[in-house]
Amino acid sequence: MKGYSYTTITMEPDEAPRVGMHVYPDEHARVSYFPARDTPASFVSVDFADSHLSIGLTAETTVTDMHVKFARGLLEAAAGFLADCERLRDEHATRIEHNTTEQASPAKVA
C-alpha cells in the first residue's frame, strides 16, 4: 500500500485563501487520542509523512453544544469511513479468493 499527502492553497478574487490538507494513508499513518485529564484540553491527532493534523480543545475552551455537535459529526464521519474501508477490503478479498479459485480449478472439457 502506498500513501501520500499534499496541501493545497486556493485563492479566488475577493475571497480569503483556502488551505486544504489531503491525507491518503498507508501503514505509516497514525491516529492518536489525547484525553482531557488535568485540563479540559483533549485532542485527536493524525500524523502521516510530513503532515500533521490536530483537532481539539484548548485549556481555555468552554465546551458548548456546538463542540459536542462537531465531535458527533466527526464520529459519524469516521464511522462511515470505517464502514467503507471494511466493505471495500472484504470485496477485494472476495475478488482475490474468487480469482485464485478460478485459476486453481481444472478447465472443463466438453
Side-chain angles (χ1 to χ4, degrees):
M1 180 167 107
K2 188 167 178 115
Y4 62 96
S5 65
Y6 63 93
T7 301
T8 59
I9 301 173
T10 306
M11 296 172 45
E12 297 290 335
D14 300 322
E15 291 184 19
R18 179 176 167 84
V19 178
M21 181 175 155
H22 310 269
V23 176
Y24 300 90
D26 62 16
E27 68 274 6
H28 301 291
R30 298 289 174 259
V31 177
S32 304
Y33 166 62
F34 298 87
R37 290 217 161 79
D38 297 332
T39 69
S42 66
F43 64 97
V44 173
S45 174
V46 178
D47 291 288
F48 177 65
D50 291 331
S51 300
H52 175 80
L53 171 67
S54 181
I55 302 171
L57 306 169
T58 67
E60 293 79 33
T61 300
T62 298
V63 179
T64 66
D65 288 343
M66 184 275 314
H67 293 95
V68 173
K69 182 178 179 180
F70 176 84
R72 287 189 191 281
L74 185 61
L75 176 64
E76 289 171 11
F81 183 66
L82 172 60
D84 278 344
C85 287
E86 289 175 335
R87 177 182 54 81
L88 293 167
R89 177 205 56 203
D90 294 347
E91 287 174 2
H92 177 75
T94 300
R95 275 196 311 275
I96 296 297
E97 184 179 294
H98 179 72
N99 289 341
T100 303
T101 304
E102 270 186 3
Q103 291 173 1
S105 299
K108 294 183 181 182
V109 178

